[in-house]
Amino acid sequence: MTQDLARIRAFVQVFDAGGFSAAARIHGRSKALLSKYVTDLEDYLGVRLMNRTTRKLSLTEAGEAYYREVREILSQLDDLDATITDQSAAPRGILRVSAPRNFGERTLLDPLFEFTRQHPDVTLDLRLEDRMVDLVEEGIDVALRISRMPDTSLIARKIAETSVAVCATPGVIRAYGAPKTPEALKGVPCIVDTNMTGQANWQFVEDGRTVTVHVDGPVKVNSPVGSLVAAQKGLGFALLPSFLSDSAISKGELVPVLTDFLPQRPFLQAVYPHRRHLSGKVRALIDFLVEWFETNSVNT
C-alpha cells in the first residue's frame, strides 16, 4: 500500500511541477526514481497516463480522469494526517471567532478569555459584530450564533439552550394589566427590536400551534440592549433574550408575562465551514464552550 501511494504521489507531483526534473528539484527525489514510479503505475494500471516529449509533458485522456480522482484522494489523506496531528497537540495559532456584539459582551467574553488563558499558544482574534459574516470569505474559523442554521453550506454544533422573556416594568403592568394571551399585546405599547428575526411579528405557541402577533409601540431600535433600556424606562413590553432580562427580572425592575406561551427558541450554536476534518483548535474551543455552559449557571 505504501509503495502504491508513493507511485500515485509521484505521478501527481510530476504533473503539478510540469515535468520530472522540476518535480525532482521541488520534492528532493531523483528524476530516475520519479520516472520509475510513474512507469510502474502505468504498467500496473495497464494504460498510459502521460505523453512525454523532451519539451512537453501532457496527460492522456485516461491520465486526466485518473489525476482528478487521485489528487482529491491525496488531498484528503494529507488533510486527515494534519488533523490527527493537530488534535494530538495542544491548540495553537490564530483562532478567528465571530459573535454578536451584545451577546458576546454580556455572555461570551468570560469563557472565551478563559479558554485563551488555558491555551497560551492560541491567539484569539474575536470579532464582535451583529452582521452575518461570510465565514469562508473572511477567514473565520468559527462563528457563535443564536440561530436555527438555515445555511446548509455550514456545519453547526449545539452549545447551549436559549430562552426569551416578554416583560415590562411594574408600572406598565399596573397601567395596562398583564396580558393573558398573546393577542392582548396588540392593545399595549411594545418595544420592537429591529435586529430580531421577525422584528414586530412576535411568535408564540398557543394550543400547540404557532401564533404570530404583530406588535407596535413608541420605540423601534436595532439593539437588544436598547430594547432592555427602553423597557426599564417604562416605554412598553419588550421581547428580550434571557441573558439580558434575567438580572432585571431578579431585581424586580421587570416583570415577565406570557411565560406559558413562549416558543422554543433557537440554540446557541458554533458554526463553521463545511470541512471533512475540523482543526484541533476549533474542536477544543467548541468542547470547552459546551462544558462551560453545562457547568456554569449562565443563562442564554
Side-chain angles (χ1 to χ4, degrees):
M1 181 64 179
T2 302
Q3 190 77 356
D4 291 339
L5 282 175
R7 292 167 180 165
I8 294 170
R9 197 176 291 277
F11 163 68
V12 172
Q13 290 172 348
V14 168
F15 182 72
D16 285 346
F20 289 91
S21 298
R25 287 193 304 270
I26 293 170
H27 299 286
R29 289 180 167 182
S30 70
K31 179 181 175 182
L33 179 61
L34 290 174
S35 179
K36 179 181 185 304
Y37 275 160
V38 173
T39 300
D40 288 347
L41 181 62
E42 289 177 325
D43 290 343
Y44 172 76
L45 295 173
V47 295
R48 178 174 290 277
L49 299 173
M50 290 180 172
N51 294 314
R52 308 167 180 79
T53 67
T54 55
R55 294 184 177 182
K56 186 178 179 182
L57 181 148
S58 63
L59 295 179
T60 65
E61 184 177 349
E64 289 180 358
Y66 191 72
Y67 173 82
R68 286 194 300 269
E69 295 296 328
V70 297
R71 195 173 192 279
E72 176 65 19
I73 291 170
L74 290 177
S75 177
Q76 292 179 31
L77 288 172
D78 291 341
D79 187 19
L80 179 58
D81 288 346
T83 300
I84 297 301
T85 302
D86 195 17
Q87 289 175 0
S88 64
R92 64 178 60 247
I94 298 175
L95 181 56
R96 296 179 176 87
V97 179
S98 169
R101 178 173 298 279
N102 292 147
F103 181 69
E105 291 175 343
R106 293 290 184 113
T107 305
L108 291 174
L109 293 185
D110 198 8
L112 287 175
F113 292 160
E114 177 60 23
F115 175 83
T116 307
R117 188 191 69 79
Q118 293 185 18
H119 299 89
D121 291 331
V122 169
T123 299
L124 177 65
D125 182 355
L126 178 59
R127 321 279 181 87
L128 296 178
E129 49 192 344
D130 291 326
R131 67 184 181 88
M132 190 69 73
V133 300
D134 186 320
L135 274 64
V136 176
E137 183 71 21
E138 300 179 44
I140 301 297
D141 294 301
V142 60
L144 302 173
R145 295 175 178 170
I146 299 176
S147 71
R148 294 188 183 277
M149 275 306 299
D151 189 346
T152 57
S153 68
L154 302 174
I155 302 174
R157 179 178 170 188
K158 176 183 170 182
I159 291 178
E161 303 279 353
T162 69
S163 60
V164 294
V166 178
C167 47
T169 60
V172 169
I173 298 293
R174 286 193 296 270
Y176 296 95
K180 303 300 182 184
T181 65
E183 286 291 321
L185 289 173
K186 290 183 176 180
V188 299
C190 292
I191 299 153
V192 176
D193 179 0
T194 57
N195 234 11
M196 183 178 66
T197 302
Q199 299 191 8
N201 298 306
W202 293 1
Q203 288 193 341
F204 300 89
V205 174
E206 189 172 7
D207 297 328
R209 58 188 179 88
T210 300
V211 175
T212 300
V213 177
H214 184 79
V215 300
D216 200 5
V219 175
K220 292 179 175 63
V221 58
N222 66 336
S223 162
V225 172
S227 295
L228 170 66
V229 174
Q232 290 173 317
K233 293 292 185 181
L235 294 174
F237 292 84
L239 178 60
L240 297 170
S242 60
F243 73 87
L244 288 177
S245 64
D246 281 353
S247 177
I249 290 173
S250 66
K251 295 175 183 176
E253 298 171 354
L254 295 176
V255 178
V257 298
L258 298 173
T259 55
D260 294 335
F261 297 93
L262 295 178
Q264 180 182 9
R265 305 300 296 178
F267 303 121
L268 169 62
Q269 297 176 319
V271 182
Y272 49 93
H274 183 83
R275 297 190 184 105
R276 287 181 176 84
H277 307 292
L278 187 60
S279 70
K281 62 187 176 184
V282 174
R283 188 182 302 277
L285 174 63
I286 294 174
D287 290 343
F288 179 87
L289 290 175
V290 170
E291 183 177 357
W292 173 275
F293 282 98
E294 284 179 351
T295 57
N296 289 272
S297 56
V298 179
N299 289 320
T300 55

